[in-house]
Amino acid sequence: MMTQPEVLDAFARVVGAQNVLTGDLASSYEVDWTGRYCGTSTAVIRPATTAEVAAVVTICREHSLPIVPQGGNTGMVGGGVPLHGEVVLSLQRMTSIDEVDPVAMQVSAQAGVTIESLQLAAEAAGLRYGVDFGGRGTATLGGTIATNAGGLNVLRHGMTRDQVVGIEAVLGTGDIVRSMSGLIKDNTGYHLPSLFVGSEGTLGIVTGARMRLVASPSHRVAALIALPSIDAAVHATATLRTHLEGLEAAELMLDDGVQLVSREFGVLSPFARTYPVYLLVEVAASNDPLDEVGNVVESLPEVLDVAVAADGHRRAALWRLRDDHTTAINRVGVPQKFDVTVPHIALAGFVTKVRSQITALHPEATTWIFGHVGDGNLHVNVTGAQGDRGLSDTIYGLVIDLGGSISAEHGIGTSKAKYLAMQKSSEELTVMRALKQVLDPDNIMNPHVLFSREVQSGTA
Ligand code: FAD
Ligand code: 2HG
Ligand code: ZN
């Protein structure tokens, strides 16, 4: 058995000593961006190729060193930082993007490219990458595949899962699997790329992927619609989805969140007064959809005000009100985050109930709610609460009672691992454990993520 310095030397022989970080150099990889999850690592290893990733995994396996894969470290559930002294395997240096294939409308890239870089590469080829969200500048392709990120355009293009047509990954065994043909029609057994989507680094390390691209219509119109209630926003979204073929986003914001973003970042609402609820929608089409959007919005009952933006600058100003919610809330205090889905019809009732239950448990706390109303996905952020004191049990209990999900798009990570059994049947958990056992027989891949100790042993 090697000593720790000998293991670090072994890593250095694979990736170069400058890419084996310890001490202060490792510290920014050991805490997540919200400051909620903080640990220490054995070392941070930064390989540049798939072969180097495989060699690092092999060393870790030989020495029983658990690994936390890390992309942009923008994750929300404590899955990408070393909370138990793990080795951090950072994909930060794996950032190459192949030429876009305009005929197949696909692109291959290494796992460490940011979503923004992928979007720009698609744009340069006259196409678009179908996933977008506020963390685009830092979140990576591998991280978004590992968490099956959703974001702003799910109602139009689906989740990250729907964009993946091929994957290259290093398993917990150190073996490399590569399925990058990009064939849309290929019914030759299990679709291995799908297995890695949402696996949160527990089966292996995604080193590259081939992604579907979509058409990029030339006209875009955004509209901020002020409404009296969440129920009105849910029904307005249904009407907009029915009548606007090019609807790409339908996002919900509440008065307190919009005021907070304005206050923290000086982003001004286009309205002279405040309203209880805002729906931010965007429509993309090859013919100017301005009149069509105007007509459908006019037909909506209960609209209190509307601001329409067709040029890029004014659209971006409306989107900042939404994109900046997360960072504005973090300025108030380190939040407890609950990313949940409930059936559309139950959304308004959920908001009323969840607010009153949070206040009953934590009268000292402030609750912020916003999200992807088109997907039934709300982000409940709680600041100022002293500890959990029943918060998670209560919120997840309510979500399950309503037929929803305790993780809509951020994943399970370490923070929700002990609640997974609320959502998955014991049969499903048995299959998940069996898959992990085959691909990661020594349980070195993110061992504290997804499965809590009880779920791991099958006693949950
Ligand atoms: P990390 O945070 O580094 O890791 C996340 C998880 O994936 C960890 O479990 C990690 O171990 C694993 N992982 C990372 N890379 C790999 C790899 N190559 N192979 C295997 N496992 C890997 N998410 C949404 O879904 N929708 C949103 O709208 C959204 N908005 C956001 C807005 C802001 C401002 C921010 C900061 C974040 C937002 N997120 C959103 C959350 C976050 O960006 C996503 O979870 C993203 O998918 C994480 O990517 P990452 O590269 O930062 O991964
Ligand atoms: C978003 O939709 C992200 O902006 C982040 O998923 C949600 O901060 C959050 O809770
Ligand atoms: Zn979100």
Side-chain angles (χ1 to χ4, degrees):
M1 196 69 182
M2 288 186 199
T3 62
Q4 179 149 343
E6 285 169 341
V7 173
L8 297 186
D9 280 350
F11 288 139
R13 281 194 290 281
V14 175
V15 297
Q18 70 281 19
N19 292 307
V20 178
L21 313 181
T22 54
D24 284 354
L25 291 177
S27 57
S28 65
Y29 298 80
E30 295 173 337
V31 57
D32 82 311
W33 69 276
T34 63
R36 273 179 304 165
Y37 308 102
C38 186
T40 50
S41 65
T42 299
V44 176
I45 317 295
R46 307 190 321 141
T49 64
T50 301
E52 287 182 10
V53 173
V56 170
V57 172
T58 302
I59 294 170
C60 288
R61 191 176 180 203
E62 272 166 22
H63 299 281
S64 303
L65 292 173
I67 301 172
V68 174
Q70 190 180 94
N73 198 6
T74 65
M76 299 274 182
V77 286
V81 284
L83 300 179
H84 299 86
E86 297 91 335
V87 168
V88 173
L89 194 148
S90 165
L91 281 298
Q92 224 170 36
R93 291 175 66 223
M94 297 184 60
T95 56
S96 77
I97 306 181
D98 289 358
E99 217 170 291
V100 168
D101 176 346
V103 180
M105 293 175 67
Q106 293 175 358
V107 64
S108 299
Q110 282 187 307
V113 302
T114 64
I115 294 310
E116 190 166 62
S117 306
L118 200 67
Q119 290 171 343
L120 290 174
E123 232 173 273
L127 296 168
R128 189 172 167 83
Y129 178 53
V131 172
D132 188 29
F133 54 90
R136 62 184 76 80
T138 315
T140 63
L141 178 59
T144 55
I145 290 170
T147 59
N148 187 25
L152 306 168
N153 301 139
V154 171
L155 60 79
R156 175 70 168 163
H157 301 301
M159 306 273 281
T160 298
R161 182 186 310 289
D162 301 292
Q163 326 306 322
V164 174
V165 290
I167 281 222
E168 179 190 78
V170 174
L171 307 179
T173 55
D175 295 321
I176 300 170
V177 286
R178 202 176 143 79
S179 175
M180 293 281 277
S181 70
L183 295 174
I184 297 296
K185 303 195 86 170
D186 174 21
N187 281 351
T188 50
Y190 306 138
H191 190 242
L192 296 181
S194 300
L195 208 54
F196 292 91
V197 184
S199 64
E200 299 187 52
T202 59
L203 302 179
I205 295 160
V206 176
T207 50
R210 189 160 177 84
M211 308 304 285
R212 176 174 84 104
L213 302 175
V214 296
S216 180
S218 46
H219 293 83
R220 286 187 169 272
V221 169
L224 185 67
I225 305 167
L227 293 158
S229 66
I230 293 175
D231 208 35
V234 171
H235 286 97
T237 303
T239 306
L240 292 160
R241 290 184 79 171
T242 310
H243 296 288
L244 292 171
E245 207 187 334
L247 188 71
E248 291 214 329
E251 295 290 310
L252 178 87
M253 299 180 285
L254 305 184
D255 180 34
D256 53 2
V258 169
Q259 287 200 45
L260 178 71
V261 171
S262 300
R263 201 164 60 238
E264 290 297 327
F265 299 116
V267 186
L268 292 182
S269 152
F271 304 128
R273 51 154 294 189
T274 61
Y275 294 104
V277 172
Y278 301 94
L279 184 61
L280 177 57
V281 299
E282 182 151 313
V283 175
S286 43
N287 295 316
D288 189 354
L290 192 60
D291 289 346
E292 201 190 353
V293 171
N295 291 339
V296 179
V297 171
E298 220 163 84
S299 77
L300 297 172
E302 302 193 77
V303 170
L304 302 174
D305 213 338
V306 61
V308 178
D311 69 86
H313 188 70
R314 290 180 57 231
R315 274 193 295 114
L318 292 185
W319 273 105
R320 275 208 65 190
L321 288 170
R322 168 63 182 87
D323 275 354
D324 289 352
H325 265 64
T326 294
T327 33
I329 291 167
N330 231 63
R331 286 192 176 197
V332 177
V334 175
Q336 284 166 261
K337 286 183 179 286
F338 302 92
D339 155 46
V340 298
T341 318
V342 293
H344 290 84
I345 207 69
L347 275 172
F350 170 75
V351 171
T352 309
K353 270 204 191 125
V354 86
R355 269 191 194 289
S356 74
Q357 292 184 348
I358 294 169
T359 307
L361 284 168
H362 291 270
E364 75 285 10
T366 308
T367 304
W368 311 90
I369 296 178
F370 60 100
H372 315 285
V373 64
D375 314 324
N377 174 192
L378 292 179
H379 296 305
V380 179
N381 279 229
V382 180
T383 52
Q386 303 301 315
D388 186 84
R389 289 206 328 261
L391 205 52
S392 303
D393 283 327
T394 304
I395 296 178
Y396 296 144
L398 181 56
V399 166
I400 299 283
D401 284 351
L402 291 171
S405 170
I406 65 165
S407 173
E409 57 174 6
H410 295 162
I412 294 293
T414 51
S415 73
K416 296 184 182 178
K418 71 173 177 180
Y419 303 99
L420 185 61
M422 287 173 88
Q423 191 85 50
K424 293 271 192 253
S425 67
S426 63
E427 291 81 4
E428 287 173 298
L429 289 170
T430 301
V431 174
M432 285 170 65
R433 275 194 300 271
L435 286 170
K436 180 159 170 74
Q437 171 64 30
V438 172
L439 302 187
D440 177 29
D442 297 328
N443 195 25
I444 58 165
M445 293 305 314
N446 237 353
H448 298 279
V449 161
L450 209 51
F451 305 100
S452 68
R453 208 174 304 128
E454 301 76 44
V455 173
Q456 232 163 61
S457 63
T459 55

